[in-house]
Amino acid sequence: MMMLSPEAAVCSPRVWKVVVFLTIALRLSSGTPVDKHHKIDVNKCLTLSKQLLDQVKESLTHPDVTEGFNCTDNVIVLEDFTENLTSTVRTCSPGQEFGRCEESGDSQECHFSSYQCYQNITADLQIYQAKLQNFSHITGNVCKHIQHLLKALNSDSIYEDTDFEGGSTTEDEEKHAIEFPQRMSLCKILQAFKLRTITINRVMNFLNDTKL
């Protein structure tokens, strides 16, 4: 596991994101199964992923996101914030993989790896956690639920000891409400994360039903 020095904890958000992405890239590139994934309670992860999706939807109704601004996936051009970093949709879609393997006749590629799927989901959660923590007075509860799911996945998340402030908006925060460009950015992140969380829910449903 990559160890972070005390200096890294106070680095700029841009440098911090680089550290996050490098850590994720190293984990995914290793390609080795993690033994602790054997201990995952998939049913618990399914419950937590549903709660996370509810929190994401609730955050999309926050006044700093919606007031005077139409934040819907119908009007927003969504961005894949995990592009070139994770491959959750492909890795966690066994039906598509099986069909492709049957056509190729390569039985080795037909094996669905729950380990790789869990690794990609973990990486997705960490990427969005890093982006959403900059809007903590709006997304604090979302970040807390991300952390709960990360722990259920037995992840050694680099945010494991982070306390996220969430809930109602304070008077000081209302005076410094985020401006339109930041609201647009937050809207895109939340809408993209909502879609990814829906995918995670479907994956957890599949894993819970098949007990993989």
Side-chain angles (χ1 to χ4, degrees):
M1 174 181 175
M2 177 179 289
M3 301 298 294
L4 299 181
S5 65
E7 290 79 12
V10 294
C11 63
S12 68
R14 179 174 297 179
V15 174
W16 183 248
K17 289 178 182 178
V18 171
V19 173
V20 174
F21 294 160
L22 286 176
T23 303
I24 291 169
L26 286 172
R27 285 179 179 172
L28 293 180
S29 63
S30 65
T32 56
V34 182
D35 290 339
K36 59 190 172 184
H37 281 157
H38 284 295
K39 303 176 183 178
I40 289 178
D41 183 340
V42 183
N43 187 59
K44 180 180 180 180
C45 289
L46 174 59
T47 299
L48 291 173
S49 67
K50 290 178 179 178
Q51 293 173 354
L52 174 59
L53 178 57
D54 289 340
Q55 283 297 322
V56 174
K57 290 179 177 178
E58 184 174 335
S59 291
L60 281 165
T61 66
H62 192 284
D64 272 353
V65 180
T66 61
E67 186 175 359
F69 174 57
N70 187 7
C71 176
T72 68
D73 53 9
N74 293 325
V75 298
I76 297 297
V77 179
L78 296 181
E79 177 182 351
D80 184 359
F81 295 98
T82 63
E83 188 176 11
N84 300 322
L85 293 169
T86 69
S87 56
T88 304
V89 175
R90 177 177 58 81
T91 306
C92 298
S93 300
Q96 296 177 9
E97 291 302 299
F98 292 159
R100 191 157 40 241
C101 290
E102 288 174 0
E103 292 176 1
S104 68
D106 188 347
S107 60
Q108 292 297 321
E109 295 182 1
C110 292
H111 176 65
F112 172 75
S113 172
S114 58
Y115 304 111
Q116 290 296 323
C117 182
Y118 286 135
Q119 285 182 335
N120 277 272
I121 289 174
T122 297
D124 282 343
L125 294 172
Q126 290 177 330
I127 289 170
Y128 279 102
Q129 189 180 53
K131 289 184 172 295
L132 291 171
Q133 67 177 355
N134 294 325
F135 306 94
S136 61
H137 79 283
I138 301 173
T139 63
N141 286 331
V142 174
C143 289
K144 287 180 180 179
H145 279 76
I146 290 175
Q147 195 59 35
H148 293 159
L149 183 51
L150 282 171
K151 289 182 178 180
L153 290 166
N154 293 312
S155 168
D156 52 349
S157 168
I158 59 176
Y159 297 101
E160 187 169 354
D161 298 321
T162 302
D163 291 325
F164 295 102
E165 297 295 332
S168 60
T169 305
T170 66
E171 183 177 348
D172 288 339
E173 287 168 336
E174 288 179 350
K175 293 178 180 178
H176 299 89
I178 58 177
E179 298 180 354
F180 179 78
Q182 289 73 38
R183 292 169 68 192
M184 173 73 80
S185 175
L186 176 57
C187 174
K188 289 182 177 180
I189 295 171
L190 285 172
Q191 288 291 0
F193 189 41
K194 183 182 75 172
L195 291 179
R196 185 50 52 90
T197 307
I198 290 172
T199 298
I200 292 172
N201 269 268
R202 290 174 177 171
V203 170
M204 291 302 175
N205 262 312
F206 168 76
L207 293 172
N208 187 54
D209 289 343
T210 57
K211 306 301 180 184
L212 288 176

